Amino acid sequence: MQDCFGRTIDYMRISVTDRCNLRCVYCMPAEGVQQISHDEILRIEEIATIARIASDLGIRRIRLTGGEPLVRRGIEDLIYSLSSLDSIESVALTTNGILLSAKAEALKQAGLSRVNISLDTLDPQVFSQITRGGSLDKVREGIDAAFAVGFDPIKLNVVTTRSLDQDFFAFAKLSLDRPLHVRFIECMPIGAAGSEARWSSEDVIPSSELIEHINNKARSQGIGPLHEVVEDKPVGWGPARYYRFDKAFGTVGFISPLSNHFCAQCNRLRMTADGQVRPCLFSDQEFDAKTALRRYGEEGVRKTLSQALASKPDEHHFRVGTLRQMSQIGG
Ligand code: SAM
Ligand code: SF4
């Protein structure tokens, strides 16, 4: 699939639920968000059908997200269906890690290729503040379980802000001893949590500043600076720029949607848990694949996906705030 700007679109992020067992401050308001009613959420078989049609059109890689995808009942069945599709090369998942230790083995058995685990601090108290009540131990157990069952690569997603108390160098050092790929992501103005009132451009740490900060710390501890990885990047490297400390097993990546946006290389469509296809994370424009499927069947979905593809904007134009929260879109 090619969009109007000549970009190849072969990656789809599918949100399987808007429910979450955490309440991260940058992702959703403290009171949570109004949940989509049960009837409006796509059934597992419906998600699989839409994904199959998308794969016929050219989607090759799928990432499952949420809300928290591991709270969705039937997630293993979905992974099995998707990974069995001939033209799908990989099925990955982004999780907060809380339920990962319990589910890692079943996910691997179902055919999951890779996991990204989101974690913004290594301090249990700060973790509880950022997630409004989450347990860091659970996430650590989840990371260990992901290694134990053999997921590779395993990436840690760290959303970076000035206002939260985060030790970025401690995260970077996690790449030294294990093949763990730590990726720092600039906090984005999505949802009401990303509206002018709650999100501020001053809170965003540009990746260039963060690299310098990490390198200064690394030099002072005799570790030496990060070197850019040109070859041998972690599989599914996407929009991150990767670096490595000498002799490290893992890498340190930087995703800079704001300070150095990568819209020209955008390769994706997104679908929400209620079956709305979004051409761009930052835009409220959506195309209703759920109604298309329920009313018009597979041909309706094909048409909807083509319309969404044709509507992909050239770039996000630094829009601030969206109607849906990040937890409803899937990141
Ligand atoms: N619950 C799962 C998790 O946290 O990994 C999957 C859904 S979450 C919405 C997907 C990713 O979006 C996570 O890595 C999360 O840290 C990230 N995210 C959420 N809000 C964000 C924001 N405002 N800016 C940048 N990334 C954000
Ligand atoms: Fe939940 Fe993930 Fe959003 Fe945190 S970032 S509130 S874990 S959906």
Side-chain angles (χ1 to χ4, degrees):
M1 281 198 281
Q2 280 219 327
D3 73 0
C4 306
F5 302 96
R7 296 172 294 199
T8 299
I9 309 301
D10 58 3
Y11 173 50
M12 191 163 178
R13 293 180 70 99
I14 300 178
S15 169
V16 296
T17 179
D18 61 336
R19 274 53 165 181
C20 188
N21 45 4
L22 297 179
R23 294 275 178 281
C24 303
V25 289
Y26 49 74
C27 180
M28 60 162 96
E31 63 280 11
V33 287
Q34 171 132 36
Q35 295 187 335
I36 305 170
S37 76
H38 197 67
D39 288 350
E40 295 301 312
I41 300 269
L42 289 176
R43 294 193 305 274
I44 289 290
E45 305 76 47
E46 291 177 314
I47 300 176
T49 301
I50 295 172
R52 173 172 51 73
I53 298 166
S55 79
D56 290 343
L57 293 174
I59 294 297
R60 295 288 169 264
R61 292 175 299 120
I62 291 176
R63 175 167 297 278
L64 301 176
T65 170
E68 173 48 40
L70 298 187
V71 304
R72 177 77 200 251
R73 207 175 301 152
I75 186 77
E76 296 88 351
D77 299 334
L78 177 62
I79 291 167
Y80 182 75
S81 306
L82 300 180
S83 59
S84 307
L85 291 170
D86 281 345
S87 42
I88 291 299
E89 292 162 10
S90 77
V91 181
L93 179 130
T94 300
T95 172
N96 60 31
I98 296 283
L99 296 173
L100 192 54
S101 63
K103 295 200 173 227
E105 183 65 50
L107 296 170
K108 182 80 178 164
Q109 293 295 328
L112 189 71
S113 319
R114 304 194 280 276
V115 282
N116 288 4
I117 301 160
S118 307
L119 180 62
D120 307 315
T121 174
L122 298 171
D123 178 312
Q125 270 166 8
V126 179
F127 182 80
S128 178
Q129 278 162 17
I130 294 179
T131 59
R132 301 195 181 96
S135 152
L136 178 62
D137 283 346
K138 281 275 146 215
V139 184
R140 284 189 176 273
E141 284 167 26
I143 296 170
D144 291 343
F147 273 108
V149 303
F151 284 120
D152 181 31
I154 297 172
K155 297 178 187 164
L156 274 194
N157 286 351
V158 186
V159 174
T160 59
T161 65
R162 288 188 203 283
S163 54
L164 300 173
D165 180 11
Q166 295 171 282
D167 183 345
F168 302 118
F169 183 54
F171 270 110
K173 278 198 295 190
L174 294 180
S175 70
L176 287 170
D177 304 326
R178 294 205 274 191
L180 195 55
H181 303 284
V182 178
R183 300 156 3 126
F184 295 108
I185 305 174
E186 291 171 353
C187 190
M188 293 182 270
I190 302 296
S195 67
E196 298 276 10
R198 301 192 191 211
W199 174 94
S200 137
S201 57
E202 279 150 34
D203 203 24
V204 176
I205 309 176
S207 298
S208 51
E209 181 184 326
L210 198 53
I211 295 175
E212 202 179 315
H213 166 81
I214 290 171
N215 277 340
N216 286 340
K217 290 251 177 179
R219 280 196 201 94
S220 73
Q221 294 195 13
I223 296 172
L226 291 164
H227 303 289
E228 186 153 9
V229 179
V230 201
E231 288 159 16
D232 194 24
K233 293 182 172 115
V235 182
W237 65 287
R241 276 177 302 139
Y242 281 96
Y243 297 78
R244 194 190 284 279
F245 290 122
D246 271 347
K247 301 196 183 104
F249 288 89
T251 59
V252 182
F254 297 86
I255 303 183
S256 328
L258 301 173
S259 69
N260 187 13
H261 74 78
F262 35 78
C263 302
Q265 285 98 48
C266 187
N267 58 355
R268 61 200 59 189
L269 287 175
R270 293 177 163 79
M271 184 167 71
T272 62
D274 56 344
Q276 305 304 305
V277 180
R278 292 176 69 100
C280 175
L281 174 62
F282 286 76
S283 161
D284 288 318
Q285 193 180 33
E286 295 182 343
F287 294 83
D288 189 352
K290 178 191 64 200
T291 305
L293 178 65
R294 292 183 184 173
R295 283 209 196 134
Y296 309 109
E298 298 198 2
E299 193 45 42
V301 175
R302 235 168 252 123
K303 226 180 240 171
T304 306
L305 289 171
S306 303
Q307 282 166 349
L309 178 73
S311 300
K312 271 187 75 68
D314 57 341
E315 58 162 285
H316 58 52
H317 298 283
F318 296 95
R319 181 158 164 202
V320 173
T322 51
L323 293 175
R324 292 200 198 233
Q325 297 297 319
M326 191 67 117
S327 63
Q328 297 173 307
I329 303 172

